mmCIF file of all heavy atoms in Angstrom:
data_model
loop_
_atom_site.group_PDB
_atom_site.id
_atom_site.type_symbol
_atom_site.label_atom_id
_atom_site.label_comp_id
_atom_site.label_asym_id
_atom_site.label_seq_id
_atom_site.Cartn_x
_atom_site.Cartn_y
_atom_site.Cartn_z
ATOM 1 N N ASN A 1410 90.026 100.731 103.437
ATOM 2 C CA ASN A 1410 89.670 100.875 102.023
ATOM 3 C C ASN A 1410 90.506 101.894 101.271
ATOM 4 O O ASN A 1410 90.109 102.388 100.220
ATOM 5 C CB ASN A 1410 88.182 101.185 101.836
ATOM 6 C CG ASN A 1410 87.309 100.050 102.311
ATOM 7 O OD1 ASN A 1410 87.740 98.906 102.352
ATOM 8 N ND2 ASN A 1410 86.086 100.354 102.672
ATOM 9 N N THR A 1411 91.687 102.174 101.774
ATOM 10 C CA THR A 1411 92.593 103.096 101.100
ATOM 11 C C THR A 1411 93.501 102.296 100.168
ATOM 12 O O THR A 1411 93.957 101.213 100.503
ATOM 13 C CB THR A 1411 93.462 103.863 102.135
ATOM 14 O OG1 THR A 1411 92.577 104.579 103.003
ATOM 15 C CG2 THR A 1411 94.406 104.835 101.457
ATOM 16 N N LEU A 1412 93.729 102.855 98.991
ATOM 17 C CA LEU A 1412 94.660 102.271 98.046
ATOM 18 C C LEU A 1412 96.039 102.861 98.282
ATOM 19 O O LEU A 1412 96.175 104.076 98.427
ATOM 20 C CB LEU A 1412 94.225 102.545 96.605
ATOM 21 C CG LEU A 1412 92.835 102.035 96.219
ATOM 22 C CD1 LEU A 1412 92.504 102.489 94.801
ATOM 23 C CD2 LEU A 1412 92.755 100.528 96.358
ATOM 24 N N TYR A 1413 97.034 102.017 98.322
ATOM 25 C CA TYR A 1413 98.425 102.428 98.518
ATOM 26 C C TYR A 1413 99.242 102.000 97.303
ATOM 27 O O TYR A 1413 98.773 101.208 96.491
ATOM 28 C CB TYR A 1413 98.998 101.794 99.788
ATOM 29 C CG TYR A 1413 98.224 102.188 101.020
ATOM 30 C CD1 TYR A 1413 97.213 101.384 101.508
ATOM 31 C CD2 TYR A 1413 98.515 103.368 101.675
ATOM 32 C CE1 TYR A 1413 96.490 101.737 102.620
ATOM 33 C CE2 TYR A 1413 97.800 103.751 102.801
ATOM 34 C CZ TYR A 1413 96.790 102.930 103.274
ATOM 35 O OH TYR A 1413 96.071 103.309 104.378
ATOM 36 N N GLU A 1414 100.464 102.469 97.233
ATOM 37 C CA GLU A 1414 101.336 102.052 96.123
ATOM 38 C C GLU A 1414 101.475 100.538 96.065
ATOM 39 O O GLU A 1414 101.552 99.952 95.000
ATOM 40 C CB GLU A 1414 102.723 102.663 96.281
ATOM 41 C CG GLU A 1414 102.786 104.152 96.136
ATOM 42 C CD GLU A 1414 104.151 104.708 96.520
ATOM 43 O OE1 GLU A 1414 104.811 104.143 97.416
ATOM 44 O OE2 GLU A 1414 104.552 105.695 95.902
ATOM 45 N N ALA A 1415 101.496 99.903 97.225
ATOM 46 C CA ALA A 1415 101.683 98.450 97.289
ATOM 47 C C ALA A 1415 100.407 97.659 97.010
ATOM 48 O O ALA A 1415 100.463 96.438 96.858
ATOM 49 C CB ALA A 1415 102.251 98.052 98.657
ATOM 50 N N THR A 1416 99.261 98.338 96.932
ATOM 51 C CA THR A 1416 98.001 97.618 96.741
ATOM 52 C C THR A 1416 97.914 96.955 95.375
ATOM 53 O O THR A 1416 97.452 95.820 95.265
ATOM 54 C CB THR A 1416 96.797 98.558 96.962
ATOM 55 O OG1 THR A 1416 96.924 99.206 98.226
ATOM 56 C CG2 THR A 1416 95.495 97.774 96.943
ATOM 57 N N ALA A 1417 98.358 97.621 94.323
ATOM 58 C CA ALA A 1417 98.244 97.036 92.965
ATOM 59 C C ALA A 1417 99.065 95.755 92.819
ATOM 60 O O ALA A 1417 98.517 94.731 92.381
ATOM 61 C CB ALA A 1417 98.603 98.059 91.894
ATOM 62 N N PRO A 1418 100.363 95.733 93.169
ATOM 63 C CA PRO A 1418 101.069 94.461 93.038
ATOM 64 C C PRO A 1418 100.537 93.396 93.999
ATOM 65 O O PRO A 1418 100.555 92.208 93.681
ATOM 66 C CB PRO A 1418 102.534 94.808 93.345
ATOM 67 C CG PRO A 1418 102.527 96.142 93.956
ATOM 68 C CD PRO A 1418 101.261 96.819 93.531
ATOM 69 N N THR A 1419 100.013 93.827 95.129
ATOM 70 C CA THR A 1419 99.388 92.882 96.049
ATOM 71 C C THR A 1419 98.167 92.246 95.394
ATOM 72 O O THR A 1419 97.976 91.032 95.455
ATOM 73 C CB THR A 1419 98.996 93.570 97.362
ATOM 74 O OG1 THR A 1419 100.170 94.057 98.006
ATOM 75 C CG2 THR A 1419 98.241 92.640 98.290
ATOM 76 N N ALA A 1420 97.349 93.065 94.734
ATOM 77 C CA ALA A 1420 96.164 92.549 94.051
ATOM 78 C C ALA A 1420 96.548 91.574 92.932
ATOM 79 O O ALA A 1420 95.888 90.550 92.741
ATOM 80 C CB ALA A 1420 95.319 93.696 93.503
ATOM 81 N N LEU A 1421 97.621 91.877 92.213
ATOM 82 C CA LEU A 1421 98.093 90.938 91.175
ATOM 83 C C LEU A 1421 98.483 89.604 91.788
ATOM 84 O O LEU A 1421 98.154 88.533 91.255
ATOM 85 C CB LEU A 1421 99.284 91.538 90.424
ATOM 86 C CG LEU A 1421 98.978 92.629 89.408
ATOM 87 C CD1 LEU A 1421 100.287 93.216 88.879
ATOM 88 C CD2 LEU A 1421 98.129 92.085 88.278
ATOM 89 N N TYR A 1422 99.204 89.651 92.899
ATOM 90 C CA TYR A 1422 99.617 88.422 93.570
ATOM 91 C C TYR A 1422 98.393 87.641 94.048
ATOM 92 O O TYR A 1422 98.281 86.445 93.811
ATOM 93 C CB TYR A 1422 100.532 88.746 94.765
ATOM 94 C CG TYR A 1422 100.931 87.510 95.532
ATOM 95 C CD1 TYR A 1422 102.030 86.762 95.134
ATOM 96 C CD2 TYR A 1422 100.202 87.089 96.626
ATOM 97 C CE1 TYR A 1422 102.386 85.615 95.828
ATOM 98 C CE2 TYR A 1422 100.558 85.947 97.324
ATOM 99 C CZ TYR A 1422 101.649 85.217 96.931
ATOM 100 O OH TYR A 1422 101.983 84.071 97.609
ATOM 101 N N VAL A 1423 97.474 88.327 94.715
ATOM 102 C CA VAL A 1423 96.285 87.657 95.244
ATOM 103 C C VAL A 1423 95.475 87.026 94.107
ATOM 104 O O VAL A 1423 95.053 85.861 94.205
ATOM 105 C CB VAL A 1423 95.435 88.630 96.078
ATOM 106 C CG1 VAL A 1423 94.062 88.032 96.419
ATOM 107 C CG2 VAL A 1423 96.176 89.005 97.361
ATOM 108 N N ALA A 1424 95.268 87.758 93.028
ATOM 109 C CA ALA A 1424 94.523 87.198 91.882
ATOM 110 C C ALA A 1424 95.236 85.977 91.318
ATOM 111 O O ALA A 1424 94.598 84.972 90.957
ATOM 112 C CB ALA A 1424 94.333 88.257 90.820
ATOM 113 N N ALA A 1425 96.548 86.028 91.250
ATOM 114 C CA ALA A 1425 97.310 84.931 90.655
ATOM 115 C C ALA A 1425 97.313 83.665 91.512
ATOM 116 O O ALA A 1425 97.461 82.563 90.987
ATOM 117 C CB ALA A 1425 98.742 85.375 90.386
ATOM 118 N N ILE A 1426 97.146 83.807 92.839
ATOM 119 C CA ILE A 1426 97.145 82.604 93.688
ATOM 120 C C ILE A 1426 95.766 81.973 93.843
ATOM 121 O O ILE A 1426 95.643 80.883 94.391
ATOM 122 C CB ILE A 1426 97.759 82.851 95.088
ATOM 123 C CG1 ILE A 1426 96.912 83.816 95.921
ATOM 124 C CG2 ILE A 1426 99.219 83.280 94.967
ATOM 125 C CD1 ILE A 1426 97.313 83.883 97.398
ATOM 126 N N LEU A 1427 94.725 82.631 93.364
ATOM 127 C CA LEU A 1427 93.371 82.100 93.547
ATOM 128 C C LEU A 1427 93.199 80.650 93.091
ATOM 129 O O LEU A 1427 92.520 79.877 93.772
ATOM 130 C CB LEU A 1427 92.347 83.009 92.863
ATOM 131 C CG LEU A 1427 92.094 84.339 93.562
ATOM 132 C CD1 LEU A 1427 91.200 85.216 92.697
ATOM 133 C CD2 LEU A 1427 91.494 84.131 94.941
ATOM 134 N N PRO A 1428 93.787 80.213 91.980
ATOM 135 C CA PRO A 1428 93.604 78.814 91.569
ATOM 136 C C PRO A 1428 94.391 77.816 92.421
ATOM 137 O O PRO A 1428 94.174 76.613 92.340
ATOM 138 C CB PRO A 1428 94.119 78.770 90.121
ATOM 139 C CG PRO A 1428 94.416 80.136 89.723
ATOM 140 C CD PRO A 1428 94.452 80.994 90.931
ATOM 141 N N ASP A 1429 95.309 78.298 93.237
ATOM 142 C CA ASP A 1429 96.129 77.417 94.068
ATOM 143 C C ASP A 1429 95.223 76.659 95.040
ATOM 144 O O ASP A 1429 94.424 77.269 95.757
ATOM 145 C CB ASP A 1429 97.162 78.257 94.842
ATOM 146 C CG ASP A 1429 98.192 77.405 95.548
ATOM 147 O OD1 ASP A 1429 97.817 76.488 96.300
ATOM 148 O OD2 ASP A 1429 99.394 77.698 95.365
ATOM 149 N N PRO A 1430 95.320 75.344 95.087
ATOM 150 C CA PRO A 1430 94.463 74.555 95.981
ATOM 151 C C PRO A 1430 94.599 74.948 97.462
ATOM 152 O O PRO A 1430 93.676 74.750 98.235
ATOM 153 C CB PRO A 1430 94.883 73.112 95.763
ATOM 154 C CG PRO A 1430 95.853 73.106 94.651
ATOM 155 C CD PRO A 1430 96.207 74.503 94.291
ATOM 156 N N ARG A 1431 95.729 75.543 97.821
ATOM 157 C CA ARG A 1431 95.904 75.948 99.212
ATOM 158 C C ARG A 1431 94.971 77.068 99.617
ATOM 159 O O ARG A 1431 94.720 77.292 100.803
ATOM 160 C CB ARG A 1431 97.362 76.346 99.464
ATOM 161 C CG ARG A 1431 98.323 75.156 99.341
ATOM 162 C CD ARG A 1431 99.764 75.592 99.450
ATOM 163 N NE ARG A 1431 100.130 76.353 98.244
ATOM 164 C CZ ARG A 1431 101.318 76.882 98.033
ATOM 165 N NH1 ARG A 1431 102.283 76.758 98.936
ATOM 166 N NH2 ARG A 1431 101.581 77.538 96.913
ATOM 167 N N THR A 1432 94.407 77.783 98.638
ATOM 168 C CA THR A 1432 93.463 78.846 98.984
ATOM 169 C C THR A 1432 92.105 78.310 99.399
ATOM 170 O O THR A 1432 91.239 79.066 99.823
ATOM 171 C CB THR A 1432 93.274 79.859 97.824
ATOM 172 O OG1 THR A 1432 92.706 79.192 96.702
ATOM 173 C CG2 THR A 1432 94.583 80.533 97.464
ATOM 174 N N THR A 1433 91.908 76.995 99.309
ATOM 175 C CA THR A 1433 90.653 76.417 99.797
ATOM 176 C C THR A 1433 90.741 76.059 101.282
ATOM 177 O O THR A 1433 89.759 75.615 101.859
ATOM 178 C CB THR A 1433 90.244 75.154 98.995
ATOM 179 O OG1 THR A 1433 91.255 74.175 99.158
ATOM 180 C CG2 THR A 1433 90.046 75.495 97.519
ATOM 181 N N ARG A 1434 91.891 76.281 101.885
ATOM 182 C CA ARG A 1434 92.035 76.040 103.325
ATOM 183 C C ARG A 1434 91.203 77.071 104.089
ATOM 184 O O ARG A 1434 90.845 78.117 103.573
ATOM 185 C CB ARG A 1434 93.503 76.146 103.740
ATOM 186 C CG ARG A 1434 94.374 75.056 103.149
ATOM 187 C CD ARG A 1434 95.804 75.317 103.501
ATOM 188 N NE ARG A 1434 96.665 74.233 103.049
ATOM 189 C CZ ARG A 1434 97.954 74.367 102.870
ATOM 190 N NH1 ARG A 1434 98.563 75.522 103.123
ATOM 191 N NH2 ARG A 1434 98.668 73.346 102.467
ATOM 192 N N THR A 1435 90.970 76.751 105.351
ATOM 193 C CA THR A 1435 90.156 77.643 106.175
ATOM 194 C C THR A 1435 90.984 78.768 106.781
ATOM 195 O O THR A 1435 92.197 78.680 106.929
ATOM 196 C CB THR A 1435 89.477 76.872 107.311
ATOM 197 O OG1 THR A 1435 90.476 76.228 108.105
ATOM 198 C CG2 THR A 1435 88.490 75.843 106.783
ATOM 199 N N VAL A 1436 90.245 79.796 107.139
ATOM 200 C CA VAL A 1436 90.837 80.950 107.811
ATOM 201 C C VAL A 1436 89.789 81.464 108.785
ATOM 202 O O VAL A 1436 88.582 81.371 108.509
ATOM 203 C CB VAL A 1436 91.260 82.028 106.771
ATOM 204 C CG1 VAL A 1436 90.096 82.577 106.034
ATOM 205 C CG2 VAL A 1436 92.080 83.114 107.410
ATOM 206 N N GLU A 1437 90.222 81.958 109.927
ATOM 207 C CA GLU A 1437 89.292 82.542 110.892
ATOM 208 C C GLU A 1437 88.819 83.889 110.358
ATOM 209 O O GLU A 1437 89.633 84.724 109.990
ATOM 210 C CB GLU A 1437 89.972 82.757 112.254
ATOM 211 C CG GLU A 1437 90.332 81.484 112.964
ATOM 212 C CD GLU A 1437 89.139 80.719 113.488
ATOM 213 O OE1 GLU A 1437 88.104 81.347 113.810
ATOM 214 O OE2 GLU A 1437 89.226 79.483 113.570
ATOM 215 N N LYS A 1438 87.510 84.078 110.299
ATOM 216 C CA LYS A 1438 86.980 85.358 109.842
ATOM 217 C C LYS A 1438 86.849 86.309 111.013
ATOM 218 O O LYS A 1438 87.156 87.473 110.919
ATOM 219 C CB LYS A 1438 85.641 85.153 109.137
ATOM 220 C CG LYS A 1438 85.787 84.320 107.872
ATOM 221 C CD LYS A 1438 84.524 84.258 107.081
ATOM 222 C CE LYS A 1438 83.460 83.508 107.829
ATOM 223 N NZ LYS A 1438 82.214 83.367 107.114
ATOM 224 N N SER A 1439 86.372 85.809 112.119
ATOM 225 C CA SER A 1439 86.334 86.537 113.388
ATOM 226 C C SER A 1439 86.155 85.512 114.480
ATOM 227 O O SER A 1439 85.815 84.357 114.225
ATOM 228 C CB SER A 1439 85.195 87.572 113.401
ATOM 229 O OG SER A 1439 83.954 86.925 113.605
ATOM 230 N N ARG A 1440 86.368 85.931 115.688
ATOM 231 C CA ARG A 1440 86.287 84.976 116.803
ATOM 232 C C ARG A 1440 84.876 84.412 116.965
ATOM 233 O O ARG A 1440 84.709 83.345 117.526
ATOM 234 C CB ARG A 1440 86.767 85.637 118.083
ATOM 235 C CG ARG A 1440 88.255 85.887 118.034
ATOM 236 C CD ARG A 1440 88.787 86.246 119.414
ATOM 237 N NE ARG A 1440 90.232 86.236 119.381
ATOM 238 C CZ ARG A 1440 90.986 87.299 119.226
ATOM 239 N NH1 ARG A 1440 90.425 88.478 119.084
ATOM 240 N NH2 ARG A 1440 92.295 87.204 119.211
ATOM 241 N N GLN A 1441 83.867 85.124 116.509
ATOM 242 C CA GLN A 1441 82.479 84.685 116.663
ATOM 243 C C GLN A 1441 82.006 83.802 115.524
ATOM 244 O O GLN A 1441 80.964 83.171 115.618
ATOM 245 C CB GLN A 1441 81.554 85.895 116.778
ATOM 246 C CG GLN A 1441 81.770 86.736 118.017
ATOM 247 C CD GLN A 1441 82.956 87.678 117.902
ATOM 248 O OE1 GLN A 1441 83.375 88.059 116.818
ATOM 249 N NE2 GLN A 1441 83.519 88.048 119.044
ATOM 250 N N ASP A 1442 82.724 83.757 114.421
ATOM 251 C CA ASP A 1442 82.298 83.018 113.239
ATOM 252 C C ASP A 1442 82.995 81.662 113.148
ATOM 253 O O ASP A 1442 84.052 81.450 113.713
ATOM 254 C CB ASP A 1442 82.652 83.795 111.949
ATOM 255 C CG ASP A 1442 81.871 85.083 111.816
ATOM 256 O OD1 ASP A 1442 80.775 85.172 112.371
ATOM 257 O OD2 ASP A 1442 82.372 85.989 111.138
ATOM 258 N N PHE A 1443 82.372 80.788 112.387
ATOM 259 C CA PHE A 1443 83.054 79.563 112.008
ATOM 260 C C PHE A 1443 84.163 79.932 111.022
ATOM 261 O O PHE A 1443 84.049 80.929 110.312
ATOM 262 C CB PHE A 1443 82.099 78.581 111.342
ATOM 263 C CG PHE A 1443 81.135 77.954 112.305
ATOM 264 C CD1 PHE A 1443 79.795 78.311 112.282
ATOM 265 C CD2 PHE A 1443 81.556 77.013 113.212
ATOM 266 C CE1 PHE A 1443 78.898 77.737 113.163
ATOM 267 C CE2 PHE A 1443 80.683 76.426 114.099
ATOM 268 C CZ PHE A 1443 79.333 76.793 114.078
ATOM 269 N N PRO A 1444 85.218 79.130 110.935
ATOM 270 C CA PRO A 1444 86.247 79.420 109.930
ATOM 271 C C PRO A 1444 85.643 79.440 108.530
ATOM 272 O O PRO A 1444 84.689 78.730 108.236
ATOM 273 C CB PRO A 1444 87.242 78.266 110.081
ATOM 274 C CG PRO A 1444 87.035 77.805 111.486
ATOM 275 C CD PRO A 1444 85.573 77.988 111.758
ATOM 276 N N GLY A 1445 86.217 80.277 107.680
ATOM 277 C CA GLY A 1445 85.742 80.395 106.309
ATOM 278 C C GLY A 1445 86.806 79.963 105.324
ATOM 279 O O GLY A 1445 87.925 79.611 105.702
ATOM 280 N N ASN A 1446 86.452 80.000 104.081
ATOM 281 C CA ASN A 1446 87.326 79.604 102.992
ATOM 282 C C ASN A 1446 88.226 80.776 102.601
ATOM 283 O O ASN A 1446 87.747 81.872 102.334
ATOM 284 C CB ASN A 1446 86.446 79.170 101.814
ATOM 285 C CG ASN A 1446 87.223 78.753 100.615
ATOM 286 O OD1 ASN A 1446 87.745 79.595 99.901
ATOM 287 N ND2 ASN A 1446 87.298 77.461 100.381
ATOM 288 N N MET A 1447 89.537 80.545 102.577
ATOM 289 C CA MET A 1447 90.484 81.599 102.236
ATOM 290 C C MET A 1447 90.214 82.189 100.854
ATOM 291 O O MET A 1447 90.260 83.403 100.660
ATOM 292 C CB MET A 1447 91.932 81.082 102.308
ATOM 293 C CG MET A 1447 92.972 82.078 101.834
ATOM 294 S SD MET A 1447 93.076 83.589 102.783
ATOM 295 C CE MET A 1447 94.313 83.099 103.982
ATOM 296 N N ARG A 1448 89.896 81.350 99.880
ATOM 297 C CA ARG A 1448 89.655 81.845 98.513
ATOM 298 C C ARG A 1448 88.500 82.847 98.508
ATOM 299 O O ARG A 1448 88.583 83.904 97.871
ATOM 300 C CB ARG A 1448 89.350 80.694 97.567
ATOM 301 C CG ARG A 1448 89.280 81.137 96.103
ATOM 302 C CD ARG A 1448 89.117 79.963 95.149
ATOM 303 N NE ARG A 1448 90.330 79.159 95.148
ATOM 304 C CZ ARG A 1448 90.349 77.878 94.810
ATOM 305 N NH1 ARG A 1448 89.257 77.252 94.429
ATOM 306 N NH2 ARG A 1448 91.503 77.215 94.789
ATOM 307 N N ALA A 1449 87.440 82.547 99.231
ATOM 308 C CA ALA A 1449 86.312 83.471 99.308
ATOM 309 C C ALA A 1449 86.738 84.783 99.945
ATOM 310 O O ALA A 1449 86.329 85.870 99.484
ATOM 311 C CB ALA A 1449 85.156 82.835 100.088
ATOM 312 N N GLU A 1450 87.564 84.717 100.967
ATOM 313 C CA GLU A 1450 88.042 85.924 101.625
ATOM 314 C C GLU A 1450 88.948 86.741 100.687
ATOM 315 O O GLU A 1450 88.895 87.967 100.677
ATOM 316 C CB GLU A 1450 88.784 85.579 102.909
ATOM 317 C CG GLU A 1450 87.898 84.917 103.956
ATOM 318 C CD GLU A 1450 86.731 85.780 104.398
ATOM 319 O OE1 GLU A 1450 86.925 87.002 104.599
ATOM 320 O OE2 GLU A 1450 85.621 85.253 104.542
ATOM 321 N N LEU A 1451 89.772 86.067 99.901
ATOM 322 C CA LEU A 1451 90.652 86.745 98.953
ATOM 323 C C LEU A 1451 89.839 87.425 97.848
ATOM 324 O O LEU A 1451 90.146 88.543 97.433
ATOM 325 C CB LEU A 1451 91.665 85.782 98.357
ATOM 326 C CG LEU A 1451 92.696 85.225 99.355
ATOM 327 C CD1 LEU A 1451 93.585 84.196 98.662
ATOM 328 C CD2 LEU A 1451 93.522 86.322 100.010
ATOM 329 N N LEU A 1452 88.803 86.743 97.384
ATOM 330 C CA LEU A 1452 87.912 87.354 96.375
ATOM 331 C C LEU A 1452 87.219 88.587 96.946
ATOM 332 O O LEU A 1452 87.088 89.597 96.253
ATOM 333 C CB LEU A 1452 86.900 86.329 95.884
ATOM 334 C CG LEU A 1452 87.444 85.293 94.910
ATOM 335 C CD1 LEU A 1452 86.442 84.145 94.752
ATOM 336 C CD2 LEU A 1452 87.762 85.915 93.558
ATOM 337 N N ALA A 1453 86.803 88.530 98.197
ATOM 338 C CA ALA A 1453 86.169 89.676 98.827
ATOM 339 C C ALA A 1453 87.160 90.835 98.946
ATOM 340 O O ALA A 1453 86.788 92.003 98.759
ATOM 341 C CB ALA A 1453 85.625 89.285 100.205
ATOM 342 N N TRP A 1454 88.421 90.510 99.232
ATOM 343 C CA TRP A 1454 89.448 91.550 99.326
ATOM 344 C C TRP A 1454 89.653 92.220 97.955
ATOM 345 O O TRP A 1454 89.694 93.441 97.849
ATOM 346 C CB TRP A 1454 90.762 90.972 99.831
ATOM 347 C CG TRP A 1454 91.807 92.012 100.027
ATOM 348 C CD1 TRP A 1454 91.991 92.811 101.127
ATOM 349 C CD2 TRP A 1454 92.809 92.408 99.068
ATOM 350 N NE1 TRP A 1454 93.050 93.662 100.907
ATOM 351 C CE2 TRP A 1454 93.562 93.448 99.665
ATOM 352 C CE3 TRP A 1454 93.147 91.979 97.799
ATOM 353 C CZ2 TRP A 1454 94.643 94.054 99.008
ATOM 354 C CZ3 TRP A 1454 94.207 92.598 97.137
ATOM 355 C CH2 TRP A 1454 94.952 93.609 97.761
ATOM 356 N N ILE A 1455 89.732 91.412 96.908
ATOM 357 C CA ILE A 1455 89.893 91.965 95.552
ATOM 358 C C ILE A 1455 88.687 92.839 95.203
ATOM 359 O O ILE A 1455 88.848 93.922 94.626
ATOM 360 C CB ILE A 1455 90.082 90.835 94.508
ATOM 361 C CG1 ILE A 1455 91.460 90.190 94.674
ATOM 362 C CG2 ILE A 1455 89.899 91.361 93.092
ATOM 363 C CD1 ILE A 1455 91.662 88.962 93.831
ATOM 364 N N ALA A 1456 87.491 92.394 95.563
ATOM 365 C CA ALA A 1456 86.294 93.196 95.309
ATOM 366 C C ALA A 1456 86.360 94.522 96.050
ATOM 367 O O ALA A 1456 85.973 95.574 95.500
ATOM 368 C CB ALA A 1456 85.043 92.424 95.705
ATOM 369 N N SER A 1457 86.859 94.506 97.260
ATOM 370 C CA SER A 1457 86.995 95.737 98.052
ATOM 371 C C SER A 1457 87.954 96.707 97.387
ATOM 372 O O SER A 1457 87.697 97.905 97.311
ATOM 373 C CB SER A 1457 87.462 95.387 99.464
ATOM 374 O OG SER A 1457 87.680 96.548 100.222
#
């Protein structure tokens, strides 16, 4: 949860790709969980 110099441009990039249909692909959240939606994970990252 530390902010770095690179965090702000990263956040701009992540926010800008959210409408991209590729963000609806799955991503592993953890080995114990079912795969989740990348867009939801990206939104959680932006919230963090």
Side-chain angles (χ1 to χ4, degrees):
N1410 295 336
T1411 301
L1412 301 175
Y1413 300 94
E1414 293 171 327
T1416 307
T1419 297
L1421 284 173
Y1422 177 86
V1423 169
I1426 66 169
L1427 287 173
D1429 189 308
R1431 294 174 290 179
T1432 63
T1433 62
R1434 294 175 175 160
T1435 58
V1436 64
E1437 292 290 331
K1438 296 187 293 182
S1439 76
R1440 290 193 169 98
Q1441 295 79 24
D1442 293 334
F1443 288 108
N1446 179 284
M1447 174 62 91
R1448 188 175 292 156
E1450 296 300 318
L1451 294 175
L1452 284 166
W1454 184 85
I1455 289 172
S1457 177

